[in-house]
Amino acid sequence: MEENVKDTVKQILTDYLQANKHRKTPERYAILDTIYSINGHFDIEALYHIMEDKGQFRVSRATLYNTIILLIDANLVIKHQFGNSSQFERAYNNENHHHMICMQCGKVTELQNDELLKAINDSKLNKFHPYHYSLYIYGICNKCSLAKRRKNKQINYREK
Amino acid sequence: MEENVKDTVKQILTDYLQANKHRKTPERYAILDTIYSINGHFDIEALYHIMEDKGQFRVSRATLYNTIILLIDANLVIKHQFGNSSQFERAYNNENHHHMICMQCGKVTELQNDELLKAINDSKLNKFHPYHYSLYIYGICNKCSLAKRRKNKQINYREK
DNA sequence: GTCAGTGCAAACTTTTTGCAACTAC
DNA sequence: GTAGTTGCAAAAAGTTTGCACTGAC
């Protein structure tokens, strides 16, 4: 992630905090900076440990939860909900992409498809104001489907 | 939900249980029947109370969790993950639709759009085998956007 | 009769909340 | 100085697990 993206989101946060009369705490900037150092998805627990380990700055889980809500409201973070815990990713300068989720192993693969984006953008949502969208395609990834085929063969063999 | 759909899914379940050497317990059929009486989404807690109240048949939460996994595997139920708890809906005879989720009030509205379905179906997923997909559009519903506008007006007024 | 499946309660995980201490303003 | 934020620990909410009992086969 280039530095000027970090500077830009920092500025967006500053503007947002000012506009909403929230305080500019070092925790909030540290969390934003860490998030924009992460490629792909993360959950609160992962974020907590990244900040603790790489850790110039340690913040409590409670603050992470609070701050994430604020960053989502500022359009700087997007929330996903696959798996057990909520997953997040940065929103600024992050192209809208789709997710393929393996129902077997839980692996999440990102997918880029412009026609699909166009179709979504062209959808009529009557009076609903969209901020962002997430397409989750659930299925079986190649690796698991090969493993499954192998397993089935064994079962068939055993039954003969 | 018409009776013959219920009969069909019952048969699908029977076949699935047989094929996988699982037992045909009354709990499983009662849960399936209840699910196919529900229109739209539900979570485990709601399902538990529906079965308890309307309740010919009471089953434990543990059994609901177990059985839901089984029904998902049998392609009779779909799992969603918006909100705090996992949401489910019936899969058979239920057209694939999309969801608009209000980030303010949490209301979920369903959306039907054939072009979008086509675009998703035409997507190349290289070697990933899709079972179903879920498009979640996050935004602000009309009701909340009106409320927000009203609130902003008040704030502006106060600040003058 | 056997073992998969069920119910219950306890455990575990993730998220929220209450409150004292701190600090941005 | 004051009130918004933070950290901590307790609580709540959702889900999973261990175990004794039951009933489908």
Side-chain angles (χ1 to χ4, degrees), chain B residues 87-121:
Chain B
Q87 303 283 319
F88 305 91
E89 66 178 319
R90 53 193 158 74
Y92 181 82
N93 201 37
N94 194 4
E95 289 180 84
N96 214 320
H97 49 261
H98 311 300
H99 300 89
M100 297 187 287
I101 302 153
C102 179
M103 301 192 298
Q104 199 83 48
C105 66
K107 190 184 154 204
V108 178
T109 314
E110 296 186 358
L111 164 78
Q112 197 73 45
N113 182 327
D114 293 337
E115 283 172 40
L116 228 142
L117 281 181
K118 191 175 171 304
I120 296 173
N121 282 326

PDB file of all heavy atoms in Angstrom, chain B residues 87-121:
ATOM      1  N   GLN B  87     -28.363 -16.652   9.267  1.00  0.00           N
ATOM      2  CA  GLN B  87     -29.733 -16.673   8.768  1.00  0.00           C
ATOM      3  C   GLN B  87     -29.850 -17.792   7.742  1.00  0.00           C
ATOM      4  O   GLN B  87     -28.902 -18.070   7.016  1.00  0.00           O
ATOM      5  CB  GLN B  87     -30.064 -15.341   8.100  1.00  0.00           C
ATOM      6  CG  GLN B  87     -29.891 -14.133   8.997  1.00  0.00           C
ATOM      7  CD  GLN B  87     -31.015 -13.985   9.979  1.00  0.00           C
ATOM      8  OE1 GLN B  87     -32.165 -14.184   9.644  1.00  0.00           O
ATOM      9  NE2 GLN B  87     -30.681 -13.662  11.220  1.00  0.00           N
ATOM     10  N   PHE B  88     -31.024 -18.388   7.687  1.00  0.00           N
ATOM     11  CA  PHE B  88     -31.233 -19.481   6.750  1.00  0.00           C
ATOM     12  C   PHE B  88     -32.505 -19.236   5.942  1.00  0.00           C
ATOM     13  O   PHE B  88     -33.352 -18.434   6.325  1.00  0.00           O
ATOM     14  CB  PHE B  88     -31.353 -20.802   7.509  1.00  0.00           C
ATOM     15  CG  PHE B  88     -30.196 -21.079   8.418  1.00  0.00           C
ATOM     16  CD1 PHE B  88     -30.238 -20.666   9.745  1.00  0.00           C
ATOM     17  CD2 PHE B  88     -29.063 -21.715   7.953  1.00  0.00           C
ATOM     18  CE1 PHE B  88     -29.158 -20.895  10.595  1.00  0.00           C
ATOM     19  CE2 PHE B  88     -27.984 -21.953   8.786  1.00  0.00           C
ATOM     20  CZ  PHE B  88     -28.031 -21.541  10.108  1.00  0.00           C
ATOM     21  N   GLU B  89     -32.618 -19.931   4.838  1.00  0.00           N
ATOM     22  CA  GLU B  89     -33.882 -19.945   4.110  1.00  0.00           C
ATOM     23  C   GLU B  89     -33.943 -21.250   3.322  1.00  0.00           C
ATOM     24  O   GLU B  89     -32.932 -21.900   3.089  1.00  0.00           O
ATOM     25  CB  GLU B  89     -34.022 -18.732   3.192  1.00  0.00           C
ATOM     26  CG  GLU B  89     -33.041 -18.680   2.041  1.00  0.00           C
ATOM     27  CD  GLU B  89     -33.265 -17.462   1.127  1.00  0.00           C
ATOM     28  OE1 GLU B  89     -34.421 -17.133   0.840  1.00  0.00           O
ATOM     29  OE2 GLU B  89     -32.264 -16.863   0.723  1.00  0.00           O
ATOM     30  N   ARG B  90     -35.157 -21.626   2.935  1.00  0.00           N
ATOM     31  CA  ARG B  90     -35.293 -22.854   2.176  1.00  0.00           C
ATOM     32  C   ARG B  90     -34.667 -22.702   0.790  1.00  0.00           C
ATOM     33  O   ARG B  90     -34.614 -21.605   0.231  1.00  0.00           O
ATOM     34  CB  ARG B  90     -36.752 -23.254   2.067  1.00  0.00           C
ATOM     35  CG  ARG B  90     -37.658 -22.210   1.537  1.00  0.00           C
ATOM     36  CD  ARG B  90     -39.122 -22.617   1.781  1.00  0.00           C
ATOM     37  NE  ARG B  90     -39.994 -21.461   1.769  1.00  0.00           N
ATOM     38  CZ  ARG B  90     -40.353 -20.798   0.686  1.00  0.00           C
ATOM     39  NH1 ARG B  90     -39.904 -21.159  -0.495  1.00  0.00           N
ATOM     40  NH2 ARG B  90     -41.135 -19.746   0.774  1.00  0.00           N
ATOM     41  N   ALA B  91     -34.186 -23.768   0.232  1.00  0.00           N
ATOM     42  CA  ALA B  91     -33.464 -23.714  -1.039  1.00  0.00           C
ATOM     43  C   ALA B  91     -34.313 -24.235  -2.186  1.00  0.00           C
ATOM     44  O   ALA B  91     -34.258 -23.716  -3.290  1.00  0.00           O
ATOM     45  CB  ALA B  91     -32.175 -24.525  -0.941  1.00  0.00           C
ATOM     46  N   TYR B  92     -35.125 -25.238  -1.898  1.00  0.00           N
ATOM     47  CA  TYR B  92     -35.892 -25.851  -2.986  1.00  0.00           C
ATOM     48  C   TYR B  92     -37.069 -24.968  -3.372  1.00  0.00           C
ATOM     49  O   TYR B  92     -37.773 -24.440  -2.516  1.00  0.00           O
ATOM     50  CB  TYR B  92     -36.404 -27.240  -2.564  1.00  0.00           C
ATOM     51  CG  TYR B  92     -37.177 -27.939  -3.656  1.00  0.00           C
ATOM     52  CD1 TYR B  92     -36.512 -28.617  -4.659  1.00  0.00           C
ATOM     53  CD2 TYR B  92     -38.566 -27.871  -3.686  1.00  0.00           C
ATOM     54  CE1 TYR B  92     -37.211 -29.245  -5.674  1.00  0.00           C
ATOM     55  CE2 TYR B  92     -39.283 -28.484  -4.700  1.00  0.00           C
ATOM     56  CZ  TYR B  92     -38.599 -29.168  -5.696  1.00  0.00           C
ATOM     57  OH  TYR B  92     -39.292 -29.779  -6.713  1.00  0.00           O
ATOM     58  N   ASN B  93     -37.257 -24.811  -4.676  1.00  0.00           N
ATOM     59  CA  ASN B  93     -38.385 -24.031  -5.189  1.00  0.00           C
ATOM     60  C   ASN B  93     -38.337 -22.578  -4.715  1.00  0.00           C
ATOM     61  O   ASN B  93     -39.355 -21.928  -4.573  1.00  0.00           O
ATOM     62  CB  ASN B  93     -39.719 -24.677  -4.772  1.00  0.00           C
ATOM     63  CG  ASN B  93     -40.852 -24.236  -5.678  1.00  0.00           C
ATOM     64  OD1 ASN B  93     -40.671 -24.069  -6.878  1.00  0.00           O
ATOM     65  ND2 ASN B  93     -42.014 -24.031  -5.103  1.00  0.00           N
ATOM     66  N   ASN B  94     -37.160 -22.111  -4.445  1.00  0.00           N
ATOM     67  CA  ASN B  94     -36.977 -20.740  -3.982  1.00  0.00           C
ATOM     68  C   ASN B  94     -36.022 -20.063  -4.953  1.00  0.00           C
ATOM     69  O   ASN B  94     -34.840 -20.346  -4.960  1.00  0.00           O
ATOM     70  CB  ASN B  94     -36.385 -20.761  -2.567  1.00  0.00           C
ATOM     71  CG  ASN B  94     -36.474 -19.409  -1.896  1.00  0.00           C
ATOM     72  OD1 ASN B  94     -37.040 -18.467  -2.440  1.00  0.00           O
ATOM     73  ND2 ASN B  94     -35.898 -19.309  -0.714  1.00  0.00           N
ATOM     74  N   GLU B  95     -36.539 -19.222  -5.801  1.00  0.00           N
ATOM     75  CA  GLU B  95     -35.713 -18.589  -6.835  1.00  0.00           C
ATOM     76  C   GLU B  95     -34.537 -17.844  -6.215  1.00  0.00           C
ATOM     77  O   GLU B  95     -34.675 -17.205  -5.177  1.00  0.00           O
ATOM     78  CB  GLU B  95     -36.548 -17.592  -7.638  1.00  0.00           C
ATOM     79  CG  GLU B  95     -37.560 -18.252  -8.549  1.00  0.00           C
ATOM     80  CD  GLU B  95     -38.346 -17.177  -9.311  1.00  0.00           C
ATOM     81  OE1 GLU B  95     -37.854 -16.722 -10.345  1.00  0.00           O
ATOM     82  OE2 GLU B  95     -39.435 -16.818  -8.832  1.00  0.00           O
ATOM     83  N   ASN B  96     -33.421 -17.899  -6.885  1.00  0.00           N
ATOM     84  CA  ASN B  96     -32.263 -17.170  -6.397  1.00  0.00           C
ATOM     85  C   ASN B  96     -32.538 -15.683  -6.512  1.00  0.00           C
ATOM     86  O   ASN B  96     -32.870 -15.171  -7.569  1.00  0.00           O
ATOM     87  CB  ASN B  96     -31.013 -17.544  -7.203  1.00  0.00           C
ATOM     88  CG  ASN B  96     -29.774 -17.530  -6.322  1.00  0.00           C
ATOM     89  OD1 ASN B  96     -29.627 -16.653  -5.477  1.00  0.00           O
ATOM     90  ND2 ASN B  96     -28.902 -18.488  -6.507  1.00  0.00           N
ATOM     91  N   HIS B  97     -32.441 -15.003  -5.391  1.00  0.00           N
ATOM     92  CA  HIS B  97     -32.729 -13.574  -5.377  1.00  0.00           C
ATOM     93  C   HIS B  97     -31.615 -12.868  -4.631  1.00  0.00           C
ATOM     94  O   HIS B  97     -30.717 -13.502  -4.076  1.00  0.00           O
ATOM     95  CB  HIS B  97     -34.073 -13.329  -4.683  1.00  0.00           C
ATOM     96  CG  HIS B  97     -34.183 -14.025  -3.381  1.00  0.00           C
ATOM     97  ND1 HIS B  97     -34.845 -15.217  -3.215  1.00  0.00           N
ATOM     98  CD2 HIS B  97     -33.666 -13.734  -2.170  1.00  0.00           C
ATOM     99  CE1 HIS B  97     -34.748 -15.608  -1.968  1.00  0.00           C
ATOM    100  NE2 HIS B  97     -34.034 -14.727  -1.312  1.00  0.00           N
ATOM    101  N   HIS B  98     -31.675 -11.563  -4.611  1.00  0.00           N
ATOM    102  CA  HIS B  98     -30.609 -10.807  -3.969  1.00  0.00           C
ATOM    103  C   HIS B  98     -31.159 -10.089  -2.753  1.00  0.00           C
ATOM    104  O   HIS B  98     -32.368 -10.009  -2.569  1.00  0.00           O
ATOM    105  CB  HIS B  98     -30.002  -9.850  -4.978  1.00  0.00           C
ATOM    106  CG  HIS B  98     -29.667 -10.528  -6.253  1.00  0.00           C
ATOM    107  ND1 HIS B  98     -28.787 -11.578  -6.315  1.00  0.00           N
ATOM    108  CD2 HIS B  98     -30.148 -10.381  -7.509  1.00  0.00           C
ATOM    109  CE1 HIS B  98     -28.718 -12.021  -7.557  1.00  0.00           C
ATOM    110  NE2 HIS B  98     -29.540 -11.325  -8.308  1.00  0.00           N
ATOM    111  N   HIS B  99     -30.246  -9.574  -1.945  1.00  0.00           N
ATOM    112  CA  HIS B  99     -30.666  -8.979  -0.681  1.00  0.00           C
ATOM    113  C   HIS B  99     -30.143  -7.558  -0.538  1.00  0.00           C
ATOM    114  O   HIS B  99     -28.956  -7.319  -0.759  1.00  0.00           O
ATOM    115  CB  HIS B  99     -30.159  -9.824   0.486  1.00  0.00           C
ATOM    116  CG  HIS B  99     -30.677 -11.220   0.462  1.00  0.00           C
ATOM    117  ND1 HIS B  99     -30.029 -12.227  -0.194  1.00  0.00           N
ATOM    118  CD2 HIS B  99     -31.798 -11.766   0.971  1.00  0.00           C
ATOM    119  CE1 HIS B  99     -30.724 -13.354  -0.063  1.00  0.00           C
ATOM    120  NE2 HIS B  99     -31.804 -13.106   0.631  1.00  0.00           N
ATOM    121  N   MET B 100     -31.037  -6.671  -0.193  1.00  0.00           N
ATOM    122  CA  MET B 100     -30.620  -5.315   0.155  1.00  0.00           C
ATOM    123  C   MET B 100     -30.719  -5.193   1.667  1.00  0.00           C
ATOM    124  O   MET B 100     -31.772  -5.448   2.250  1.00  0.00           O
ATOM    125  CB  MET B 100     -31.544  -4.294  -0.506  1.00  0.00           C
ATOM    126  CG  MET B 100     -31.477  -4.352  -2.020  1.00  0.00           C
ATOM    127  SD  MET B 100     -32.402  -3.014  -2.807  1.00  0.00           S
ATOM    128  CE  MET B 100     -34.084  -3.551  -2.512  1.00  0.00           C
ATOM    129  N   ILE B 101     -29.608  -4.841   2.279  1.00  0.00           N
ATOM    130  CA  ILE B 101     -29.558  -4.809   3.732  1.00  0.00           C
ATOM    131  C   ILE B 101     -29.331  -3.378   4.195  1.00  0.00           C
ATOM    132  O   ILE B 101     -28.341  -2.741   3.814  1.00  0.00           O
ATOM    133  CB  ILE B 101     -28.421  -5.705   4.255  1.00  0.00           C
ATOM    134  CG1 ILE B 101     -28.644  -7.133   3.754  1.00  0.00           C
ATOM    135  CG2 ILE B 101     -28.336  -5.652   5.771  1.00  0.00           C
ATOM    136  CD1 ILE B 101     -27.372  -7.933   3.617  1.00  0.00           C
ATOM    137  N   CYS B 102     -30.235  -2.864   4.997  1.00  0.00           N
ATOM    138  CA  CYS B 102     -30.086  -1.492   5.486  1.00  0.00           C
ATOM    139  C   CYS B 102     -29.074  -1.480   6.630  1.00  0.00           C
ATOM    140  O   CYS B 102     -29.216  -2.215   7.596  1.00  0.00           O
ATOM    141  CB  CYS B 102     -31.425  -0.938   5.966  1.00  0.00           C
ATOM    142  SG  CYS B 102     -31.249   0.743   6.606  1.00  0.00           S
ATOM    143  N   MET B 103     -28.042  -0.647   6.475  1.00  0.00           N
ATOM    144  CA  MET B 103     -26.981  -0.601   7.474  1.00  0.00           C
ATOM    145  C   MET B 103     -27.443   0.136   8.728  1.00  0.00           C
ATOM    146  O   MET B 103     -26.795   0.082   9.765  1.00  0.00           O
ATOM    147  CB  MET B 103     -25.741   0.084   6.888  1.00  0.00           C
ATOM    148  CG  MET B 103     -25.203  -0.626   5.643  1.00  0.00           C
ATOM    149  SD  MET B 103     -23.579  -0.046   5.141  1.00  0.00           S
ATOM    150  CE  MET B 103     -23.913   1.653   4.761  1.00  0.00           C
ATOM    151  N   GLN B 104     -28.571   0.831   8.609  1.00  0.00           N
ATOM    152  CA  GLN B 104     -29.079   1.582   9.749  1.00  0.00           C
ATOM    153  C   GLN B 104     -29.973   0.685  10.611  1.00  0.00           C
ATOM    154  O   GLN B 104     -29.686   0.429  11.759  1.00  0.00           O
ATOM    155  CB  GLN B 104     -29.887   2.783   9.242  1.00  0.00           C
ATOM    156  CG  GLN B 104     -30.081   3.871  10.277  1.00  0.00           C
ATOM    157  CD  GLN B 104     -28.892   4.791  10.342  1.00  0.00           C
ATOM    158  OE1 GLN B 104     -28.403   5.271   9.316  1.00  0.00           O
ATOM    159  NE2 GLN B 104     -28.391   5.034  11.540  1.00  0.00           N
ATOM    160  N   CYS B 105     -31.032   0.184   9.999  1.00  0.00           N
ATOM    161  CA  CYS B 105     -32.049  -0.527  10.786  1.00  0.00           C
ATOM    162  C   CYS B 105     -31.960  -2.046  10.617  1.00  0.00           C
ATOM    163  O   CYS B 105     -32.642  -2.786  11.318  1.00  0.00           O
ATOM    164  CB  CYS B 105     -33.456  -0.055  10.402  1.00  0.00           C
ATOM    165  SG  CYS B 105     -33.951  -0.472   8.716  1.00  0.00           S
ATOM    166  N   GLY B 106     -31.116  -2.520   9.691  1.00  0.00           N
ATOM    167  CA  GLY B 106     -30.926  -3.960   9.554  1.00  0.00           C
ATOM    168  C   GLY B 106     -31.976  -4.660   8.712  1.00  0.00           C
ATOM    169  O   GLY B 106     -31.909  -5.866   8.508  1.00  0.00           O
ATOM    170  N   LYS B 107     -32.934  -3.912   8.214  1.00  0.00           N
ATOM    171  CA  LYS B 107     -33.997  -4.515   7.420  1.00  0.00           C
ATOM    172  C   LYS B 107     -33.440  -5.147   6.138  1.00  0.00           C
ATOM    173  O   LYS B 107     -32.594  -4.563   5.466  1.00  0.00           O
ATOM    174  CB  LYS B 107     -35.028  -3.435   7.066  1.00  0.00           C
ATOM    175  CG  LYS B 107     -36.303  -3.994   6.455  1.00  0.00           C
ATOM    176  CD  LYS B 107     -37.236  -2.843   6.040  1.00  0.00           C
ATOM    177  CE  LYS B 107     -38.161  -3.267   4.920  1.00  0.00           C
ATOM    178  NZ  LYS B 107     -38.651  -2.116   4.133  1.00  0.00           N
ATOM    179  N   VAL B 108     -33.925  -6.321   5.815  1.00  0.00           N
ATOM    180  CA  VAL B 108     -33.481  -7.014   4.617  1.00  0.00           C
ATOM    181  C   VAL B 108     -34.628  -7.073   3.613  1.00  0.00           C
ATOM    182  O   VAL B 108     -35.721  -7.526   3.929  1.00  0.00           O
ATOM    183  CB  VAL B 108     -33.030  -8.452   4.944  1.00  0.00           C
ATOM    184  CG1 VAL B 108     -32.608  -9.175   3.677  1.00  0.00           C
ATOM    185  CG2 VAL B 108     -31.886  -8.424   5.943  1.00  0.00           C
ATOM    186  N   THR B 109     -34.365  -6.566   2.409  1.00  0.00           N
ATOM    187  CA  THR B 109     -35.368  -6.613   1.354  1.00  0.00           C
ATOM    188  C   THR B 109     -34.848  -7.498   0.236  1.00  0.00           C
ATOM    189  O   THR B 109     -33.669  -7.450  -0.088  1.00  0.00           O
ATOM    190  CB  THR B 109     -35.620  -5.195   0.794  1.00  0.00           C
ATOM    191  OG1 THR B 109     -35.765  -4.287   1.883  1.00  0.00           O
ATOM    192  CG2 THR B 109     -36.868  -5.159  -0.067  1.00  0.00           C
ATOM    193  N   GLU B 110     -35.739  -8.289  -0.333  1.00  0.00           N
ATOM    194  CA  GLU B 110     -35.305  -9.152  -1.419  1.00  0.00           C
ATOM    195  C   GLU B 110     -35.477  -8.449  -2.755  1.00  0.00           C
ATOM    196  O   GLU B 110     -36.320  -7.567  -2.906  1.00  0.00           O
ATOM    197  CB  GLU B 110     -36.091 -10.454  -1.392  1.00  0.00           C
ATOM    198  CG  GLU B 110     -35.804 -11.247  -0.131  1.00  0.00           C
ATOM    199  CD  GLU B 110     -36.453 -12.619  -0.143  1.00  0.00           C
ATOM    200  OE1 GLU B 110     -37.145 -12.938  -1.109  1.00  0.00           O
ATOM    201  OE2 GLU B 110     -36.238 -13.361   0.834  1.00  0.00           O
ATOM    202  N   LEU B 111     -34.652  -8.839  -3.700  1.00  0.00           N
ATOM    203  CA  LEU B 111     -34.594  -8.169  -4.991  1.00  0.00           C
ATOM    204  C   LEU B 111     -34.438  -9.209  -6.078  1.00  0.00           C
ATOM    205  O   LEU B 111     -33.615 -10.107  -5.985  1.00  0.00           O
ATOM    206  CB  LEU B 111     -33.386  -7.211  -4.993  1.00  0.00           C
ATOM    207  CG  LEU B 111     -32.895  -6.669  -6.330  1.00  0.00           C
ATOM    208  CD1 LEU B 111     -33.812  -5.553  -6.791  1.00  0.00           C
ATOM    209  CD2 LEU B 111     -31.474  -6.141  -6.180  1.00  0.00           C
ATOM    210  N   GLN B 112     -35.259  -9.056  -7.091  1.00  0.00           N
ATOM    211  CA  GLN B 112     -35.193 -10.016  -8.191  1.00  0.00           C
ATOM    212  C   GLN B 112     -34.685  -9.284  -9.422  1.00  0.00           C
ATOM    213  O   GLN B 112     -35.169  -8.214  -9.752  1.00  0.00           O
ATOM    214  CB  GLN B 112     -36.609 -10.572  -8.454  1.00  0.00           C
ATOM    215  CG  GLN B 112     -36.632 -11.829  -9.271  1.00  0.00           C
ATOM    216  CD  GLN B 112     -36.138 -13.023  -8.468  1.00  0.00           C
ATOM    217  OE1 GLN B 112     -36.510 -13.211  -7.334  1.00  0.00           O
ATOM    218  NE2 GLN B 112     -35.283 -13.837  -9.073  1.00  0.00           N
ATOM    219  N   ASN B 113     -33.703  -9.827 -10.082  1.00  0.00           N
ATOM    220  CA  ASN B 113     -33.170  -9.163 -11.269  1.00  0.00           C
ATOM    221  C   ASN B 113     -32.539 -10.198 -12.193  1.00  0.00           C
ATOM    222  O   ASN B 113     -31.458 -10.714 -11.924  1.00  0.00           O
ATOM    223  CB  ASN B 113     -32.145  -8.100 -10.855  1.00  0.00           C
ATOM    224  CG  ASN B 113     -31.605  -7.341 -12.050  1.00  0.00           C
ATOM    225  OD1 ASN B 113     -31.465  -7.887 -13.144  1.00  0.00           O
ATOM    226  ND2 ASN B 113     -31.289  -6.080 -11.847  1.00  0.00           N
ATOM    227  N   ASP B 114     -33.215 -10.472 -13.283  1.00  0.00           N
ATOM    228  CA  ASP B 114     -32.793 -11.565 -14.149  1.00  0.00           C
ATOM    229  C   ASP B 114     -31.471 -11.301 -14.859  1.00  0.00           C
ATOM    230  O   ASP B 114     -30.667 -12.213 -15.030  1.00  0.00           O
ATOM    231  CB  ASP B 114     -33.896 -11.861 -15.184  1.00  0.00           C
ATOM    232  CG  ASP B 114     -35.140 -12.428 -14.506  1.00  0.00           C
ATOM    233  OD1 ASP B 114     -34.993 -12.979 -13.399  1.00  0.00           O
ATOM    234  OD2 ASP B 114     -36.243 -12.311 -15.068  1.00  0.00           O
ATOM    235  N   GLU B 115     -31.257 -10.036 -15.254  1.00  0.00           N
ATOM    236  CA  GLU B 115     -29.990  -9.732 -15.937  1.00  0.00           C
ATOM    237  C   GLU B 115     -28.809  -9.992 -15.032  1.00  0.00           C
ATOM    238  O   GLU B 115     -27.769 -10.495 -15.438  1.00  0.00           O
ATOM    239  CB  GLU B 115     -29.984  -8.270 -16.391  1.00  0.00           C
ATOM    240  CG  GLU B 115     -30.829  -8.043 -17.647  1.00  0.00           C
ATOM    241  CD  GLU B 115     -30.960  -6.556 -17.948  1.00  0.00           C
ATOM    242  OE1 GLU B 115     -29.963  -5.844 -17.785  1.00  0.00           O
ATOM    243  OE2 GLU B 115     -32.067  -6.136 -18.341  1.00  0.00           O
ATOM    244  N   LEU B 116     -29.019  -9.641 -13.780  1.00  0.00           N
ATOM    245  CA  LEU B 116     -27.971  -9.860 -12.800  1.00  0.00           C
ATOM    246  C   LEU B 116     -27.714 -11.356 -12.617  1.00  0.00           C
ATOM    247  O   LEU B 116     -26.559 -11.801 -12.585  1.00  0.00           O
ATOM    248  CB  LEU B 116     -28.449  -9.274 -11.479  1.00  0.00           C
ATOM    249  CG  LEU B 116     -27.459  -8.382 -10.772  1.00  0.00           C
ATOM    250  CD1 LEU B 116     -28.192  -7.229 -10.135  1.00  0.00           C
ATOM    251  CD2 LEU B 116     -26.728  -9.185  -9.749  1.00  0.00           C
ATOM    252  N   LEU B 117     -28.788 -12.110 -12.535  1.00  0.00           N
ATOM    253  CA  LEU B 117     -28.646 -13.558 -12.417  1.00  0.00           C
ATOM    254  C   LEU B 117     -27.860 -14.113 -13.588  1.00  0.00           C
ATOM    255  O   LEU B 117     -26.961 -14.931 -13.425  1.00  0.00           O
ATOM    256  CB  LEU B 117     -30.032 -14.229 -12.379  1.00  0.00           C
ATOM    257  CG  LEU B 117     -30.774 -14.183 -11.050  1.00  0.00           C
ATOM    258  CD1 LEU B 117     -32.110 -14.898 -11.161  1.00  0.00           C
ATOM    259  CD2 LEU B 117     -29.931 -14.824  -9.941  1.00  0.00           C
ATOM    260  N   LYS B 118     -28.201 -13.603 -14.779  1.00  0.00           N
ATOM    261  CA  LYS B 118     -27.529 -14.070 -15.979  1.00  0.00           C
ATOM    262  C   LYS B 118     -26.038 -13.736 -15.924  1.00  0.00           C
ATOM    263  O   LYS B 118     -25.192 -14.579 -16.225  1.00  0.00           O
ATOM    264  CB  LYS B 118     -28.175 -13.422 -17.203  1.00  0.00           C
ATOM    265  CG  LYS B 118     -27.749 -14.021 -18.532  1.00  0.00           C
ATOM    266  CD  LYS B 118     -28.526 -13.401 -19.694  1.00  0.00           C
ATOM    267  CE  LYS B 118     -27.920 -13.845 -21.028  1.00  0.00           C
ATOM    268  NZ  LYS B 118     -26.471 -13.540 -21.159  1.00  0.00           N
ATOM    269  N   ALA B 119     -25.725 -12.510 -15.509  1.00  0.00           N
ATOM    270  CA  ALA B 119     -24.327 -12.086 -15.433  1.00  0.00           C
ATOM    271  C   ALA B 119     -23.548 -12.971 -14.460  1.00  0.00           C
ATOM    272  O   ALA B 119     -22.407 -13.352 -14.721  1.00  0.00           O
ATOM    273  CB  ALA B 119     -24.241 -10.620 -14.996  1.00  0.00           C
ATOM    274  N   ILE B 120     -24.187 -13.313 -13.352  1.00  0.00           N
ATOM    275  CA  ILE B 120     -23.516 -14.174 -12.376  1.00  0.00           C
ATOM    276  C   ILE B 120     -23.313 -15.573 -12.960  1.00  0.00           C
ATOM    277  O   ILE B 120     -22.228 -16.152 -12.866  1.00  0.00           O
ATOM    278  CB  ILE B 120     -24.331 -14.264 -11.066  1.00  0.00           C
ATOM    279  CG1 ILE B 120     -24.411 -12.892 -10.397  1.00  0.00           C
ATOM    280  CG2 ILE B 120     -23.700 -15.275 -10.114  1.00  0.00           C
ATOM    281  CD1 ILE B 120     -25.326 -12.832  -9.195  1.00  0.00           C
ATOM    282  N   ASN B 121     -24.370 -16.073 -13.605  1.00  0.00           N
ATOM    283  CA  ASN B 121     -24.265 -17.411 -14.187  1.00  0.00           C
ATOM    284  C   ASN B 121     -23.204 -17.485 -15.274  1.00  0.00           C
ATOM    285  O   ASN B 121     -22.586 -18.530 -15.488  1.00  0.00           O
ATOM    286  CB  ASN B 121     -25.626 -17.835 -14.758  1.00  0.00           C
ATOM    287  CG  ASN B 121     -26.566 -18.298 -13.664  1.00  0.00           C
ATOM    288  OD1 ASN B 121     -26.142 -18.889 -12.671  1.00  0.00           O
ATOM    289  ND2 ASN B 121     -27.848 -18.008 -13.832  1.00  0.00           N
TER     290      ASN B 121
END
